[in-house]
Amino acid sequence: KPRTSSEDDIIKCTTATATTTNAAVVDGKTFSVIDYPIDGKSAVTLWRTVTTISSPALGGELSLLHLLPKTGRNHQIRRHLSYCLSCPIVGDSKYDGGGPLRRAARGEWGMFLCSNSVRFRHVMSEDEDVVANVPLPDKFYELLGLDKEDVLL
């Protein structure tokens, strides 16, 4: 069974050479740490809910998540969300569980997972980080019915 922890566990995680943050739309949840091995190797993903909307037309609740993988396993975020939290990413054709919204989104918009920030140490400097931030794709705001000003990751 996956271990979930409090927000305090974020402090205890080791920092990798490069850190990425991601965003995904899933069925509703709040905040936690997923510590569950993938292919026999340690895999840790930190996550929190940015916003949740309720829409009967979309099949219930949808949440926009902010995700921070602490390890880099193959399909880690997709597997952790689907297998450990039972909230697969909307439009994920491999780990989606076959829900009608996910099938519809897959055909019209594709998968709702994207990397929105990368941070790493500059190769020529020992004390300078390089940070690249990218805005979320418009399809995230369209599906959730939100304005860009309403979302702070």
Side-chain angles (χ1 to χ4, degrees), residues 46-78:
L46 286 63
W47 64 274
R48 69 175 171 82
T49 299
V50 176
T51 189
T52 298
I53 62 127
S54 180
S55 173
L58 296 176
E61 288 189 336
L62 293 176
S63 294
L64 175 63
L65 301 184
H66 184 243
L67 302 142
L68 178 62
K70 300 305 283 184
T71 51
R73 305 293 171 233
N74 191 36
H75 297 188
Q76 176 175 323
I77 292 171
R78 296 167 69 187

mmCIF file of all heavy atoms in Angstrom, residues 46-78:
data_model
loop_
_atom_site.group_PDB
_atom_site.id
_atom_site.type_symbol
_atom_site.label_atom_id
_atom_site.label_comp_id
_atom_site.label_asym_id
_atom_site.label_seq_id
_atom_site.Cartn_x
_atom_site.Cartn_y
_atom_site.Cartn_z
ATOM 1 N N LEU A 46 5.529 14.361 -4.927
ATOM 2 C CA LEU A 46 4.817 15.299 -4.078
ATOM 3 C C LEU A 46 3.734 15.946 -4.926
ATOM 4 O O LEU A 46 3.962 16.216 -6.104
ATOM 5 C CB LEU A 46 5.749 16.386 -3.552
ATOM 6 C CG LEU A 46 6.738 16.010 -2.458
ATOM 7 C CD1 LEU A 46 7.729 14.974 -2.910
ATOM 8 C CD2 LEU A 46 7.451 17.247 -1.968
ATOM 9 N N TRP A 47 2.571 16.212 -4.334
ATOM 10 C CA TRP A 47 1.502 16.825 -5.106
ATOM 11 C C TRP A 47 0.573 17.624 -4.201
ATOM 12 O O TRP A 47 0.490 17.382 -3.015
ATOM 13 C CB TRP A 47 0.703 15.771 -5.873
ATOM 14 C CG TRP A 47 -0.041 14.794 -5.018
ATOM 15 C CD1 TRP A 47 0.441 13.637 -4.490
ATOM 16 C CD2 TRP A 47 -1.393 14.894 -4.584
ATOM 17 N NE1 TRP A 47 -0.534 13.005 -3.758
ATOM 18 C CE2 TRP A 47 -1.677 13.759 -3.798
ATOM 19 C CE3 TRP A 47 -2.402 15.829 -4.786
ATOM 20 C CZ2 TRP A 47 -2.902 13.543 -3.217
ATOM 21 C CZ3 TRP A 47 -3.638 15.612 -4.206
ATOM 22 C CH2 TRP A 47 -3.868 14.470 -3.433
ATOM 23 N N ARG A 48 -0.074 18.633 -4.802
ATOM 24 C CA ARG A 48 -1.093 19.400 -4.100
ATOM 25 C C ARG A 48 -2.152 19.825 -5.117
ATOM 26 O O ARG A 48 -1.871 19.982 -6.293
ATOM 27 C CB ARG A 48 -0.520 20.619 -3.399
ATOM 28 C CG ARG A 48 -0.047 21.699 -4.320
ATOM 29 C CD ARG A 48 0.416 22.959 -3.568
ATOM 30 N NE ARG A 48 1.061 23.877 -4.476
ATOM 31 C CZ ARG A 48 0.423 24.727 -5.274
ATOM 32 N NH1 ARG A 48 -0.889 24.781 -5.268
ATOM 33 N NH2 ARG A 48 1.083 25.520 -6.087
ATOM 34 N N THR A 49 -3.354 20.017 -4.629
ATOM 35 C CA THR A 49 -4.443 20.479 -5.480
ATOM 36 C C THR A 49 -4.366 21.993 -5.603
ATOM 37 O O THR A 49 -4.281 22.698 -4.601
ATOM 38 C CB THR A 49 -5.798 20.069 -4.897
ATOM 39 O OG1 THR A 49 -5.850 18.646 -4.828
ATOM 40 C CG2 THR A 49 -6.947 20.569 -5.765
ATOM 41 N N VAL A 50 -4.399 22.491 -6.841
ATOM 42 C CA VAL A 50 -4.427 23.922 -7.106
ATOM 43 C C VAL A 50 -5.871 24.411 -7.058
ATOM 44 O O VAL A 50 -6.184 25.405 -6.419
ATOM 45 C CB VAL A 50 -3.781 24.249 -8.477
ATOM 46 C CG1 VAL A 50 -3.899 25.732 -8.800
ATOM 47 C CG2 VAL A 50 -2.335 23.788 -8.500
ATOM 48 N N THR A 51 -6.752 23.704 -7.733
ATOM 49 C CA THR A 51 -8.178 24.042 -7.729
ATOM 50 C C THR A 51 -8.984 22.813 -8.121
ATOM 51 O O THR A 51 -8.476 21.918 -8.793
ATOM 52 C CB THR A 51 -8.485 25.222 -8.691
ATOM 53 O OG1 THR A 51 -9.819 25.652 -8.489
ATOM 54 C CG2 THR A 51 -8.280 24.839 -10.136
ATOM 55 N N THR A 52 -10.218 22.769 -7.685
ATOM 56 C CA THR A 52 -11.141 21.682 -8.042
ATOM 57 C C THR A 52 -12.440 22.303 -8.525
ATOM 58 O O THR A 52 -12.928 23.260 -7.934
ATOM 59 C CB THR A 52 -11.417 20.768 -6.831
ATOM 60 O OG1 THR A 52 -10.183 20.175 -6.412
ATOM 61 C CG2 THR A 52 -12.408 19.668 -7.182
ATOM 62 N N ILE A 53 -12.972 21.764 -9.611
ATOM 63 C CA ILE A 53 -14.262 22.220 -10.117
ATOM 64 C C ILE A 53 -15.225 21.044 -10.118
ATOM 65 O O ILE A 53 -14.817 19.896 -10.246
ATOM 66 C CB ILE A 53 -14.158 22.824 -11.550
ATOM 67 C CG1 ILE A 53 -13.672 21.780 -12.562
ATOM 68 C CG2 ILE A 53 -13.261 24.022 -11.558
ATOM 69 C CD1 ILE A 53 -14.569 21.666 -13.738
ATOM 70 N N SER A 54 -16.493 21.350 -9.959
ATOM 71 C CA SER A 54 -17.525 20.329 -10.013
ATOM 72 C C SER A 54 -18.370 20.580 -11.254
ATOM 73 O O SER A 54 -18.858 21.688 -11.455
ATOM 74 C CB SER A 54 -18.393 20.399 -8.760
ATOM 75 O OG SER A 54 -19.390 19.406 -8.820
ATOM 76 N N SER A 55 -18.500 19.536 -12.070
ATOM 77 C CA SER A 55 -19.287 19.669 -13.286
ATOM 78 C C SER A 55 -19.932 18.339 -13.628
ATOM 79 O O SER A 55 -19.260 17.411 -14.071
ATOM 80 C CB SER A 55 -18.403 20.120 -14.446
ATOM 81 O OG SER A 55 -19.129 20.086 -15.653
ATOM 82 N N PRO A 56 -21.250 18.229 -13.421
ATOM 83 C CA PRO A 56 -21.941 16.996 -13.800
ATOM 84 C C PRO A 56 -21.750 16.669 -15.283
ATOM 85 O O PRO A 56 -21.636 15.511 -15.659
ATOM 86 C CB PRO A 56 -23.403 17.285 -13.475
ATOM 87 C CG PRO A 56 -23.366 18.364 -12.461
ATOM 88 C CD PRO A 56 -22.144 19.190 -12.776
ATOM 89 N N ALA A 57 -21.677 17.699 -16.119
ATOM 90 C CA ALA A 57 -21.496 17.467 -17.559
ATOM 91 C C ALA A 57 -20.145 16.811 -17.863
ATOM 92 O O ALA A 57 -20.005 16.104 -18.850
ATOM 93 C CB ALA A 57 -21.607 18.793 -18.315
ATOM 94 N N LEU A 58 -19.143 17.054 -16.987
ATOM 95 C CA LEU A 58 -17.816 16.463 -17.186
ATOM 96 C C LEU A 58 -17.630 15.194 -16.366
ATOM 97 O O LEU A 58 -16.538 14.657 -16.299
ATOM 98 C CB LEU A 58 -16.720 17.475 -16.829
ATOM 99 C CG LEU A 58 -16.671 18.726 -17.704
ATOM 100 C CD1 LEU A 58 -15.606 19.676 -17.187
ATOM 101 C CD2 LEU A 58 -16.410 18.377 -19.153
ATOM 102 N N GLY A 59 -18.656 14.732 -15.708
ATOM 103 C CA GLY A 59 -18.562 13.467 -14.982
ATOM 104 C C GLY A 59 -18.187 13.599 -13.525
ATOM 105 O O GLY A 59 -17.653 12.670 -12.940
ATOM 106 N N GLY A 60 -18.421 14.761 -12.905
ATOM 107 C CA GLY A 60 -18.118 14.923 -11.484
ATOM 108 C C GLY A 60 -17.090 15.997 -11.230
ATOM 109 O O GLY A 60 -17.113 17.053 -11.852
ATOM 110 N N GLU A 61 -16.159 15.723 -10.297
ATOM 111 C CA GLU A 61 -15.135 16.694 -9.944
ATOM 112 C C GLU A 61 -13.861 16.478 -10.739
ATOM 113 O O GLU A 61 -13.457 15.345 -10.983
ATOM 114 C CB GLU A 61 -14.798 16.610 -8.454
ATOM 115 C CG GLU A 61 -15.872 17.140 -7.557
ATOM 116 C CD GLU A 61 -15.412 17.229 -6.119
ATOM 117 O OE1 GLU A 61 -14.484 16.496 -5.716
ATOM 118 O OE2 GLU A 61 -15.992 18.041 -5.379
ATOM 119 N N LEU A 62 -13.232 17.594 -11.106
ATOM 120 C CA LEU A 62 -11.912 17.569 -11.733
ATOM 121 C C LEU A 62 -11.004 18.479 -10.928
ATOM 122 O O LEU A 62 -11.427 19.535 -10.465
ATOM 123 C CB LEU A 62 -11.971 18.061 -13.177
ATOM 124 C CG LEU A 62 -12.728 17.200 -14.161
ATOM 125 C CD1 LEU A 62 -12.767 17.885 -15.531
ATOM 126 C CD2 LEU A 62 -12.089 15.828 -14.286
ATOM 127 N N SER A 63 -9.743 18.076 -10.756
ATOM 128 C CA SER A 63 -8.778 18.883 -10.014
ATOM 129 C C SER A 63 -7.561 19.158 -10.872
ATOM 130 O O SER A 63 -7.074 18.282 -11.588
ATOM 131 C CB SER A 63 -8.325 18.149 -8.747
ATOM 132 O OG SER A 63 -9.386 17.997 -7.851
ATOM 133 N N LEU A 64 -7.057 20.382 -10.762
ATOM 134 C CA LEU A 64 -5.775 20.750 -11.355
ATOM 135 C C LEU A 64 -4.734 20.537 -10.268
ATOM 136 O O LEU A 64 -4.851 21.100 -9.175
ATOM 137 C CB LEU A 64 -5.789 22.207 -11.808
ATOM 138 C CG LEU A 64 -4.467 22.766 -12.339
ATOM 139 C CD1 LEU A 64 -4.022 22.034 -13.606
ATOM 140 C CD2 LEU A 64 -4.591 24.259 -12.605
ATOM 141 N N LEU A 65 -3.741 19.702 -10.538
ATOM 142 C CA LEU A 65 -2.712 19.381 -9.557
ATOM 143 C C LEU A 65 -1.381 20.014 -9.927
ATOM 144 O O LEU A 65 -1.043 20.133 -11.105
ATOM 145 C CB LEU A 65 -2.494 17.861 -9.463
ATOM 146 C CG LEU A 65 -3.667 16.987 -9.090
ATOM 147 C CD1 LEU A 65 -3.207 15.538 -8.960
ATOM 148 C CD2 LEU A 65 -4.323 17.455 -7.805
ATOM 149 N N HIS A 66 -0.619 20.362 -8.898
ATOM 150 C CA HIS A 66 0.776 20.769 -9.037
ATOM 151 C C HIS A 66 1.579 19.568 -8.551
ATOM 152 O O HIS A 66 1.366 19.084 -7.437
ATOM 153 C CB HIS A 66 1.036 22.000 -8.171
ATOM 154 C CG HIS A 66 2.405 22.543 -8.307
ATOM 155 N ND1 HIS A 66 3.286 22.578 -7.274
ATOM 156 C CD2 HIS A 66 3.043 23.088 -9.367
ATOM 157 C CE1 HIS A 66 4.419 23.131 -7.680
ATOM 158 N NE2 HIS A 66 4.291 23.438 -8.943
ATOM 159 N N LEU A 67 2.493 19.053 -9.368
ATOM 160 C CA LEU A 67 3.201 17.808 -9.079
ATOM 161 C C LEU A 67 4.701 18.021 -9.090
ATOM 162 O O LEU A 67 5.229 18.709 -9.965
ATOM 163 C CB LEU A 67 2.843 16.751 -10.132
ATOM 164 C CG LEU A 67 1.362 16.442 -10.227
ATOM 165 C CD1 LEU A 67 0.944 16.221 -11.660
ATOM 166 C CD2 LEU A 67 1.035 15.255 -9.368
ATOM 167 N N LEU A 68 5.396 17.399 -8.125
ATOM 168 C CA LEU A 68 6.843 17.492 -8.052
ATOM 169 C C LEU A 68 7.411 16.087 -7.881
ATOM 170 O O LEU A 68 7.427 15.545 -6.779
ATOM 171 C CB LEU A 68 7.267 18.385 -6.884
ATOM 172 C CG LEU A 68 8.756 18.539 -6.634
ATOM 173 C CD1 LEU A 68 9.441 19.195 -7.832
ATOM 174 C CD2 LEU A 68 8.987 19.368 -5.381
ATOM 175 N N PRO A 69 7.857 15.457 -8.978
ATOM 176 C CA PRO A 69 8.476 14.132 -8.845
ATOM 177 C C PRO A 69 9.860 14.272 -8.229
ATOM 178 O O PRO A 69 10.671 15.071 -8.695
ATOM 179 C CB PRO A 69 8.545 13.620 -10.284
ATOM 180 C CG PRO A 69 8.529 14.851 -11.130
ATOM 181 C CD PRO A 69 7.797 15.908 -10.364
ATOM 182 N N LYS A 70 10.129 13.516 -7.170
ATOM 183 C CA LYS A 70 11.442 13.551 -6.530
ATOM 184 C C LYS A 70 12.377 12.507 -7.115
ATOM 185 O O LYS A 70 13.569 12.526 -6.855
ATOM 186 C CB LYS A 70 11.303 13.354 -5.016
ATOM 187 C CG LYS A 70 10.450 14.412 -4.329
ATOM 188 C CD LYS A 70 10.928 15.824 -4.603
ATOM 189 C CE LYS A 70 12.152 16.169 -3.787
ATOM 190 N NZ LYS A 70 12.574 17.565 -3.966
ATOM 191 N N THR A 71 11.838 11.575 -7.867
ATOM 192 C CA THR A 71 12.629 10.565 -8.575
ATOM 193 C C THR A 71 12.168 10.594 -10.028
ATOM 194 O O THR A 71 11.165 11.230 -10.336
ATOM 195 C CB THR A 71 12.406 9.162 -7.961
ATOM 196 O OG1 THR A 71 10.999 8.923 -7.866
ATOM 197 C CG2 THR A 71 13.022 9.056 -6.574
ATOM 198 N N GLY A 72 12.856 9.935 -10.900
ATOM 199 C CA GLY A 72 12.517 10.018 -12.320
ATOM 200 C C GLY A 72 12.233 8.678 -12.962
ATOM 201 O O GLY A 72 12.897 8.283 -13.911
ATOM 202 N N ARG A 73 11.253 7.980 -12.463
ATOM 203 C CA ARG A 73 10.896 6.670 -13.021
ATOM 204 C C ARG A 73 10.017 6.824 -14.265
ATOM 205 O O ARG A 73 9.289 7.810 -14.407
ATOM 206 C CB ARG A 73 10.167 5.826 -11.980
ATOM 207 C CG ARG A 73 10.910 5.665 -10.689
ATOM 208 C CD ARG A 73 12.177 4.834 -10.849
ATOM 209 N NE ARG A 73 12.940 4.892 -9.617
ATOM 210 C CZ ARG A 73 14.210 5.237 -9.547
ATOM 211 N NH1 ARG A 73 14.872 5.556 -10.641
ATOM 212 N NH2 ARG A 73 14.832 5.263 -8.402
ATOM 213 N N ASN A 74 10.042 5.826 -15.128
ATOM 214 C CA ASN A 74 9.263 5.821 -16.355
ATOM 215 C C ASN A 74 7.768 5.926 -16.049
ATOM 216 O O ASN A 74 7.236 5.103 -15.301
ATOM 217 C CB ASN A 74 9.569 4.548 -17.142
ATOM 218 C CG ASN A 74 9.028 4.575 -18.539
ATOM 219 O OD1 ASN A 74 9.014 5.620 -19.175
ATOM 220 N ND2 ASN A 74 8.583 3.428 -19.014
ATOM 221 N N HIS A 75 7.099 6.931 -16.584
ATOM 222 C CA HIS A 75 5.662 7.171 -16.385
ATOM 223 C C HIS A 75 5.306 7.340 -14.914
ATOM 224 O O HIS A 75 4.186 7.039 -14.504
ATOM 225 C CB HIS A 75 4.824 6.043 -16.978
ATOM 226 C CG HIS A 75 4.961 5.907 -18.455
ATOM 227 N ND1 HIS A 75 4.167 5.070 -19.179
ATOM 228 C CD2 HIS A 75 5.787 6.487 -19.359
ATOM 229 C CE1 HIS A 75 4.503 5.127 -20.452
ATOM 230 N NE2 HIS A 75 5.488 5.991 -20.583
ATOM 231 N N GLN A 76 6.239 7.851 -14.114
ATOM 232 C CA GLN A 76 6.035 7.936 -12.667
ATOM 233 C C GLN A 76 4.773 8.685 -12.285
ATOM 234 O O GLN A 76 3.954 8.180 -11.508
ATOM 235 C CB GLN A 76 7.246 8.605 -12.010
ATOM 236 C CG GLN A 76 7.088 8.818 -10.520
ATOM 237 C CD GLN A 76 8.333 9.374 -9.879
ATOM 238 O OE1 GLN A 76 9.428 9.016 -10.255
ATOM 239 N NE2 GLN A 76 8.157 10.251 -8.904
ATOM 240 N N ILE A 77 4.586 9.887 -12.799
ATOM 241 C CA ILE A 77 3.412 10.681 -12.420
ATOM 242 C C ILE A 77 2.141 9.970 -12.862
ATOM 243 O O ILE A 77 1.189 9.837 -12.085
ATOM 244 C CB ILE A 77 3.489 12.092 -13.024
ATOM 245 C CG1 ILE A 77 4.632 12.879 -12.376
ATOM 246 C CG2 ILE A 77 2.162 12.826 -12.871
ATOM 247 C CD1 ILE A 77 4.910 14.199 -13.053
ATOM 248 N N ARG A 78 2.120 9.479 -14.080
ATOM 249 C CA ARG A 78 0.935 8.808 -14.606
ATOM 250 C C ARG A 78 0.590 7.574 -13.769
ATOM 251 O O ARG A 78 -0.582 7.334 -13.443
ATOM 252 C CB ARG A 78 1.168 8.423 -16.063
ATOM 253 C CG ARG A 78 1.345 9.640 -16.968
ATOM 254 C CD ARG A 78 1.876 9.264 -18.328
ATOM 255 N NE ARG A 78 0.888 8.519 -19.096
ATOM 256 C CZ ARG A 78 1.171 7.958 -20.266
ATOM 257 N NH1 ARG A 78 2.396 8.042 -20.786
ATOM 258 N NH2 ARG A 78 0.237 7.309 -20.918
#
